[in-house]
Amino acid sequence: MAEIVPAVLASNGQEYGKYLDIATSLSSRIQIDLADDDFAPGKTVNLAQTYWPDDIRADIHLMYQHPIEHIPTVIAKFPNLLIVHWEANGLDQDNLISIADQLRSLDIKFGLALLPQTEVSEVAKVLEYLDHVLIFTGDLGHYGGDMQKDCLAKVGEVKNLDPNIEVGVDGGINDTNAAEVVTSGADVLNVGSFLQKADDPQKAYDKLKRNCPSSEAGD
């Protein structure tokens, strides 16, 4: 069963509170998207500013050029999952194994995000150290935009290499394409603007579930 996980992408504290409230009203699992205006265009609230209710599982998607520098802050926040980008600076197999071991020892899951231009074959050798792979299909650092559907083939490629790894899809998901994302084999649908920009987020969420009947809330 695929999970629908609302995303939070906020440029300031007021936006963060607003989008967090919407996300947590819809699901017990959320994704917090953070950008540094270097790796990803546009600057969001920073990692230190993030917070969430105790009963919420929060995944942190760190769109930072130098993610290793922020591992201590991530650990202090104690999220459900940390996702960093394979394309960021300073990441190699040894670093990834070290980060994965450190986080897992603290019961924090670890994942890698792949931009559209990155092939699954580039990360095949490190999949065994990961809990999650995020297939990015949209416009990095922005709500909205069209899904790059050709990227969905990567879901099956990851699953063929490791059937047990959790695979998420992020970027341009809405009620017209969610079923296709689930059919691709994705375990997690990260949904941003379709929910956050809706006149009625609950109705939008319910519509998403109806058009994607094998999906469920992040419980």
Side-chain angles (χ1 to χ4, degrees), residues 4 174-183 189 194 203-215:
I4 299 172
N174 55 42
D175 59 321
T176 66
N177 58 35
E180 188 173 352
V181 177
V182 173
T183 300
L189 283 67
F194 181 75
K203 286 185 178 180
Y205 184 76
D206 293 342
K207 185 176 183 181
L208 193 65
K209 289 200 296 182
R210 286 196 300 272
N211 289 351
C212 187
S214 63
S215 66

Side-chain angles (χ1 to χ4, degrees), residues 8-13 15-17 19 33-34 43-45 143:
V8 175
L9 177 71
S11 60
N12 57 60
E15 271 191 351
Y16 183 85
Y19 294 150
D33 295 320
L34 301 174
K43 192 172 181 63
T44 63
V45 294
Y143 270 149

Side-chain angles (χ1 to χ4, degrees), residues 16 32-36 43-52 59-62 64 66-79 81-82:
Y16 183 85
I32 299 171
D33 295 320
L34 301 174
D36 61 359
K43 192 172 181 63
T44 63
V45 294
N46 62 50
L47 178 59
Q49 291 176 282
T50 61
Y51 60 91
W52 53 85
D59 302 342
I60 292 179
H61 175 205
L62 207 58
Y64 283 11
H66 303 282
I68 294 176
E69 299 174 3
H70 301 275
I71 297 301
T73 307
V74 170
I75 290 173
K77 293 289 180 179
F78 198 69
L81 164 70
L82 169 65

Side-chain angles (χ1 to χ4, degrees), residues 4 26 35 40 67 84 87 95 114 117 138 145 155 169-170 178 189 191 198 204:
I4 299 172
L26 300 173
V84 299
E87 304 85 2
N95 286 334
L114 308 182
Q117 68 269 22
V155 177
V169 172
D170 187 344
L189 283 67
V191 186

Side-chain angles (χ1 to χ4, degrees), residues 15 17 22 27 34 37 41 49 59 62 79 90 93-94 103 119 122 134 140 145-146 152 169 176-177 203 212:
E15 271 191 351
I22 292 172
S27 174
L34 301 174
D37 201 24
Q49 291 176 282
D59 302 342
L62 207 58
Q93 184 170 353
D94 289 341
L103 294 179
E119 300 295 334
E122 296 181 42
L134 179 63
L140 193 66
D146 296 326
L152 293 179
V169 172
T176 66
N177 58 35
K203 286 185 178 180
C212 187

Side-chain angles (χ1 to χ4, degrees), residues 133-177:
V133 173
L134 179 63
I135 306 301
F136 199 78
T137 58
D139 188 10
L140 193 66
H142 298 281
Y143 270 149
D146 296 326
M147 173 183 288
Q148 299 181 47
K149 290 188 176 182
D150 57 324
C151 294
L152 293 179
K154 296 180 184 179
V155 177
E157 293 174 21
V158 173
K159 288 291 190 179
N160 284 337
L161 292 169
D162 186 346
N164 298 315
I165 199 167
E166 183 179 71
V167 180
V169 172
D170 187 344
I173 296 177
N174 55 42
D175 59 321
T176 66
N177 58 35

